[in-house]
Amino acid sequence: MMRDLLRLPGARLVLHAAVALLAWLLLVGITGMVDPLMNYYIALMAMYATAMFGMTILVGLSGQVSLGNGALMAVGGYVFAVTTLNWETVPFTGIAMNGIWAMLFAAIGGVLIGLLIGGLGARLRGPYLAGLTLGVAVGVPAIANRFPELLGGETGLQLTVPYPAGGYAAAGEFVDEAFTEDFPTEQQDELPTEQIEDLPTEQVEELPTEQDASGDDLLTLDNFPNEGDVLTEGDVLTDGDFSADGDDLLTLDNFPNEGDVLTDGDVPTDGDFSADGDDLLTLDNFPTEDELPADPSAPDGALDPEFAVDPDVEATFDGLDGLDAGFILEQWQAVLAVSVACIVAFLALNLVRGRQGRQWRAVRDDSVAAAVAGISPGRSKVSAFVVSSVFAALAGAVFAQILSYVGPGAFGLGLSLSLLVGVVLGGRGSLWGAVIGAVLLVWLPEFVLRAAGDRGWEEQVTNNAPNLIYGLLVVAVVLVAPGGIVGSLQSLVRRVRRTPASPSAAGLAERVDAGVGKDDS
Amino acid sequence: MTSFIDYVLGGFGSGMIIALMALALVLTWRATRVVNFAQVGQAMFTTFIALSLQTLTGSWVIALVGAMVAGALLGVIVQYLVLRPVKRADTSGAIIATFGVLIALQAAAGMIWGGDSRAYPQPFGNTAITLFGREWPVSAYDLVVVGFAVILVVGLTLLFTRTNLGLAMRATAFNPEVARLSGIRVGRTLTIGWALAGIVGAVAGVLVAPTSAISPNSFDILLVFAFTAAVIGGLDSLIGAVALGIGTGLILSVVSGYSDSSNAPVVALVLLAVNLVLKPEGVFGHHKARSV
C-alpha cells in the first residue's frame, strides 16, 4: 500500500518534506524544554549532522574518502564572517545584509570550493584523493594567515552579531526592542574598528597556546565554552564580542576579579556579560542581558549570585513561547542549527534516494559499468563533492555563529578527522549514520568527562581518552563492521528476519532488506 | 641573490627530513599498496619514546636506536593488527583505518606525555657555520641530518638491489601472486617492508624533533609535506621520494624565506594539486594515480 502510494509523482518529495518537518518540529519542541547546556549540545549535534550528511554522500555513496571537509566548513564560516562584518547591504540589491544572506553566500562559497577541489580530485584514486584533501584540510585554514586584515590571521575573527539582534530571523520575533537597540549599536560601532587592531597584540599569545594545551586533536566538547576548564578558551572566543570597551579585551586575567571590572567606569558594557558573578562564561548570562540595560542598578544585581536564577529567566526555559519573553542564546543557536540541519536533511534525502543517489552508488561500485550505462563518472564524483561542500559550508556558517568566532584553530585537521570518525562510526553511506555519528561526537567526550570525574583521572588522560576511543573504534569498525552502527543494526535485523527458514520468507526478507538499505539510508 | 642562496641551503636539512618521511610512505606503499597516513603518528610516538630514553640515559645515540627499534615494532604491529585484516574489497577501509591509527596514537601520546610542546635536546651545535668569511645558514646539526639521510638511502638502495631480501621485496611489490609462486613468503616480506618504513620514519622523527618542538600533533604538517613529496616523486620510487623530498624542502624554504613560513602548507597544497592535474603518476613513477 505504502509502496504503491510512493510511486505517485512527487510522493517521495512530500514524504521527505514531511519527515524533515516532523523532525524539525520535534527538535524545536525539545529545545524549548531542555536547559541551555543541553541546547548547546543540540546545536553542536545538529551542526555536526549537517556537515556529516555531506560526508555520507561523499565518503559513503560516492566512495571518495575526504579529509578536507573541515576546511570546507572553514570556507563557509569565513564567508559568513567576512560578509557579515564587511557588508552592510547585499551587493547590487541594496537589501540590508542579514544572517540568512550571509549563509547563502557561505553556500555559494561552498559550491565554488567544491567545484575546485572536486574537479581536481574526481579522477584520483583513493589514497591520492585522501592525500590531496589532507593537504586541503591543513592548507586552507592556513590561508587565513595570508590575509590578516581581511581574515584575522592566526587569531581569527570575532563575529559581531551572531544572534537576531543584528536583524536576521526577524529580530522582533525573538527579542524586544530595548535589546535590539542597545546591544548591536555598541557592537557594530566599536568592534570592527577597534578589535581588529587590538586582537593581534593582545590575544596572539593566548589563543594558540590555549588551543595547543588542550592536547587533543579532535575538536571535542571541552574546547567549547561550557566546560569548567574551558572557561579560558570560551572567553577568548566569545567575550571579545562583548567587551565594547575597546582597548581592554576581556582576557583570562580579567576574570578572577570581576568585582573590579564591575566597579570600573565600564560597568554598562562589562555588566552585560558578567551579569552573575560566579558563572561568567556559561552564556546563560546572555538571556538576561536584555533586561540589564533596562535596569540601571545592574552592578548590584550583577554581583548577586542569585541573579542568574531570576524567575523571569527561569520561566523562559519552559517552552517555545519562551523565545518571546526572553532571549536564550543557546536555544536560539539550537533552533538555528536544527533548522539548517533539517533543510539539509531534506535535500540529502531527495538526493540520496533519487536518481542522483543511484548514480553515485553505481559509480562507486563500478565506474566502468556506470559509464557504459551512460553515467559520467567524473561528473558524478564532482557533483557529490559539490553537494558535500555546500553542506559543509552551511555547517561552517552555523559553527561560526555558535562560537561567534572563526579562526584557523577552530577548523583545523582535528575537525576534518572528527567528521570522518563520526561518519565511519555511524555508518558510511547512511544518513541515519550521520545523525548517530553526530550524537556520538558530542556525547562521548561528555560521557568520558563524567566517567573521568568519577574515577579521578588525570586531566591529560581525560582530555585524550575520547580520541583514543574514537581512533580504536574507527579501526575496529573498519575491520569488524564496515557498515558502522547502522550497518550492523541492519544486518542484525536481516539475520533475525531470516531465521524462519521458509524460502518465501527469506525472499521477502531479502526484498525488505534491499528496501531498508535504500530507504533508510 | 645571496639571500636566495641562503634560503636554498637552509632548506637542505628540512628537505632531508621530508625526504625520509616520504621514503617511509613509499616503503609501505611498495609493500602493501597502502599509503600509511599513520606514519607520522608512529614517528611522533617513537620520538616521544626517544625523548624519554634521552632524559633517562642522557645519550642521543641510545635514544635514536631505541626509537628505531620502537619504530620497527610499531610498524609491524600496525601492519599485522590493522592493515592485514582489512578486507580487500573495502578500498576506503584501509585509508580510514590508517587515520584511525593516527588518531589513536596521537591520543595515546597525549595521555602518556601530555599535550604540551616539548623541546628536544640539541645533540650537536645549532649555530651557523662560518666559512670563507661569511655565515652560512647551515649548522653542524644540518650536516648530521644530511649524513643520516644519505646513509639510510644508500643502505636501502643496497638492500633493494644487492640482497635476496631486497629482490624478494621488489618481486612482491611487482606482483605478489607470482612472487608467492616463486617461493617468496609474501606475508613476511610485506611485514618487513612496514618495519623498514617504521625505522626510517622513526629516524626522521628524531632528526626533526630538535629543530621544532615535539607534541602529539606537531608532525601533522610533516605528513602533508611528505605526502606531497612522495606523490610527486611517484609513490613507487625511492629515488623519487628522496629527490622530491629535498626539492620540496628547498621550495618551502625559499617560499618561507621570501614571505612567511605560514604559507608553506598552502604552497605544498598547490604543488600537490598541480602535480595531480598535470602528471598524476609522478615524476619518477609509472603507477596509475587516476582511474577511468
Side-chain angles (χ1 to χ4, degrees):
Chain A
M1 180 62 190
M2 191 65 189
R3 212 153 264 267
D4 293 337
L5 272 181
L6 282 177
R7 293 225 170 81
L8 294 171
R12 290 247 173 210
L13 210 63
V14 174
L15 178 73
H16 297 158
V19 167
L21 195 65
L22 269 178
W24 184 78
L25 284 174
L26 182 74
L27 287 168
V28 168
I30 290 174
T31 63
M33 287 184 283
V34 295
D35 60 29
L37 183 65
M38 196 59 203
N39 267 327
Y40 182 68
Y41 293 157
I42 290 176
L44 287 181
M45 287 177 194
M47 181 274 295
Y48 276 128
T50 306
M52 282 195 289
F53 288 141
M55 284 289 278
T56 296
I57 288 173
L58 189 62
V59 179
L61 271 73
S62 170
Q64 306 181 80
V65 179
S66 165
L67 273 300
N69 280 38
L72 302 178
M73 284 178 68
V75 171
Y78 270 102
V79 169
F80 183 90
V82 169
T83 52
T84 45
L85 284 173
N86 295 328
W87 291 351
E88 287 182 1
T89 57
V90 179
F92 308 119
T93 60
I95 304 167
M97 185 74 186
N98 61 31
I100 293 173
W101 278 105
M103 286 175 51
L104 198 68
F105 290 126
I108 294 171
V111 171
L112 296 179
I113 189 84
L115 278 174
L116 179 68
I117 299 172
L120 285 175
R123 293 173 66 196
L124 297 176
R125 299 182 336 146
Y128 289 86
L129 179 70
L132 177 69
T133 51
L134 179 78
V136 169
V138 175
V140 166
I143 291 175
N145 298 327
R146 193 76 204 85
F147 303 97
E149 293 282 312
L150 182 66
L151 302 179
E154 187 70 36
T155 38
L157 293 170
Q158 307 280 332
L159 291 192
T160 40
V161 187
Y163 34 72
Y168 63 90
E173 220 175 81
F174 287 82
V175 200
D176 56 312
E177 284 302 309
F179 183 70
T180 8
E181 279 165 18
D182 282 342
F183 221 85
T185 44
E186 285 173 354
Q187 287 183 349
Q188 282 172 351
D189 293 343
E190 307 220 6
L191 278 179
T193 51
E194 306 212 2
Q195 206 167 18
I196 287 173
E197 293 157 15
D198 284 335
L199 270 176
T201 55
E202 298 221 358
Q203 286 192 329
V204 158
E205 304 89 356
E206 292 190 18
L207 243 185
T209 50
E210 282 177 5
Q211 284 179 345
D212 288 349
S214 74
D216 41 6
D217 182 22
L218 293 187
L219 197 76
T220 59
L221 269 182
D222 25 356
N223 294 334
F224 296 124
N226 280 301
E227 305 307 335
D229 157 43
V230 182
L231 293 182
T232 57
E233 205 165 317
D235 65 23
V236 178
L237 300 190
T238 58
D239 280 332
D241 283 353
F242 307 108
S243 61
D245 53 350
D247 58 1
D248 191 15
L249 282 178
L250 264 192
T251 60
L252 184 57
D253 317 11
N254 300 343
F255 273 99
N257 45 1
E258 311 107 35
D260 294 351
V261 180
L262 288 172
T263 53
D264 274 358
D266 310 337
V267 168
T269 48
D270 279 341
D272 281 357
F273 46 85
S274 55
D276 59 344
D278 54 341
D279 200 8
L280 271 167
L281 289 161
T282 56
L283 298 180
D284 307 7
N285 310 329
F286 298 129
T288 69
E289 277 154 17
D290 52 336
E291 290 161 21
L292 279 180
D295 177 12
S297 66
D300 292 350
L303 291 173
D304 180 5
E306 299 301 310
F307 192 78
V309 280
D310 185 319
D312 282 355
V313 181
E314 284 291 289
T316 61
F317 296 162
D318 287 342
L320 251 186
D321 48 354
L323 277 178
D324 299 320
F327 178 70
I328 303 170
L329 185 65
E330 290 86 348
Q331 187 176 355
W332 178 79
Q333 288 172 340
V335 171
L336 168 82
V338 162
S339 307
V340 173
C342 287
I343 293 169
V344 165
F346 169 69
L347 297 175
L349 276 171
N350 284 315
L351 288 170
V352 167
R353 294 191 190 175
R355 169 199 293 260
Q356 188 62 58
R358 278 196 300 279
Q359 293 191 354
W360 284 331
R361 282 188 288 261
V363 172
R364 173 196 65 190
D365 290 340
D366 191 335
S367 59
V368 176
V372 169
I375 303 167
S376 157
R379 192 176 299 168
S380 159
K381 288 188 168 182
V382 175
S383 70
F385 222 108
V386 170
V387 168
S388 93
S389 174
V390 170
F391 291 179
L394 284 173
V398 170
F399 197 33
Q401 292 173 81
I402 293 175
L403 295 177
S404 343
Y405 164 85
V406 289
F411 296 99
L413 180 60
L415 180 63
S416 293
L417 284 175
S418 50
L419 292 179
L420 185 68
V421 166
V423 165
V424 171
L425 296 190
R428 279 179 267 165
S430 156
L431 292 178
W432 273 117
V435 175
I436 292 172
V439 173
L440 263 182
L441 282 183
V442 176
W443 170 79
L444 186 75
E446 200 49 27
F447 174 78
V448 168
L449 210 65
R450 255 176 232 155
D454 294 343
R455 289 176 180 76
W457 289 352
E458 278 177 65
E459 193 184 333
Q460 73 186 37
V461 174
T462 315
N463 284 345
N464 290 291
N467 285 351
L468 186 62
I469 296 171
Y470 286 143
L472 296 178
L473 275 180
V474 163
V475 172
V477 162
V478 168
L479 296 186
V480 181
I485 292 172
V486 169
S488 306
L489 287 178
Q490 281 175 354
S491 64
L492 197 71
V493 168
R494 209 169 301 162
R495 209 169 298 162
V496 170
R497 289 208 184 158
R498 265 199 201 128
T499 31
S502 86
S504 65
L508 183 70
E510 202 88 18
R511 264 174 56 208
V512 171
D513 288 342
V516 167
K518 201 165 64 214
D519 294 345
D520 287 5
S521 59
Chain B
M1 193 59 211
T2 46
S3 61
F4 179 78
I5 293 170
D6 279 359
Y7 296 146
V8 168
L9 287 175
F12 257 102
S14 59
M16 277 298 181
I17 288 159
I18 295 172
L20 287 184
M21 199 56 88
L23 202 55
L25 290 178
V26 167
L27 284 172
T28 50
W29 173 260
R30 283 169 65 108
T32 49
R33 293 285 173 242
V34 169
V35 175
N36 182 13
F37 290 103
Q39 195 79 60
V40 289
Q42 293 167 228
M44 176 274 302
F45 204 84
T46 55
T47 307
F48 264 118
I49 291 176
L51 182 59
S52 299
L53 281 174
Q54 170 117 30
T55 349
L56 213 65
T57 64
S59 160
W60 188 79
V61 177
I62 290 179
L64 178 68
V65 173
M68 290 166 77
V69 173
L73 278 177
L74 207 52
V76 170
I77 290 171
V78 171
Q79 196 267 332
Y80 203 75
L81 291 185
V82 180
L83 270 305
R84 200 180 48 99
V86 173
K87 292 177 184 67
R88 283 252 163 223
D90 188 3
T91 45
S92 308
I95 300 166
I96 295 171
T98 59
F99 278 108
V101 173
L102 176 65
I103 295 169
L105 279 175
Q106 290 186 339
M111 271 189 180
I112 302 169
W113 294 289
D116 298 333
S117 288
R118 295 195 189 188
Y120 195 97
Q122 279 281 347
F124 307 98
N126 199 29
T127 49
I129 292 175
T130 311
L131 202 66
F132 305 127
R134 65 162 290 196
E135 272 198 357
W136 299 87
V138 178
S139 66
Y141 183 69
D142 286 330
L143 297 180
V144 171
V145 169
V146 173
F148 264 102
V150 169
I151 291 171
L152 271 179
V153 172
V154 170
L156 282 172
T157 312
L158 290 179
L159 174 76
F160 273 103
T161 52
R162 297 292 156 93
T163 64
N164 282 336
L165 176 64
L167 185 64
M169 289 177 76
R170 280 189 294 151
T172 311
F174 183 70
N175 190 330
E177 260 81 69
V178 175
R180 182 170 282 125
L181 288 177
S182 328
I184 293 169
R185 300 186 63 168
V186 169
R188 187 193 285 177
T189 314
L190 300 184
T191 310
I192 290 173
W194 274 69
L196 278 179
I199 293 171
V200 174
V203 172
V206 172
L207 290 181
V208 77
T211 62
S212 61
I214 171 160
S215 77
N217 303 332
S218 60
F219 289 177
D220 285 356
I221 191 67
L222 188 57
L223 175 59
V224 176
F225 296 156
F227 181 82
T228 304
V231 166
I232 301 180
L235 259 192
D236 242 354
S237 159
L238 297 176
I239 303 160
V242 174
L244 269 298
I246 297 169
T248 308
L250 298 185
I251 291 172
L252 294 178
S253 171
V254 170
V255 167
S256 305
Y258 279 109
S259 58
D260 188 273
S261 65
S262 63
N263 288 333
V266 185
V267 173
L269 177 59
V270 170
L271 284 178
L272 184 59
V274 167
N275 172 71
L276 288 176
V277 170
L278 297 182
K279 200 164 168 51
E281 70 278 8
V283 179
F284 292 84
H286 29 71
H287 196 83
K288 270 176 70 184
R290 278 183 181 171
S291 57
V292 184

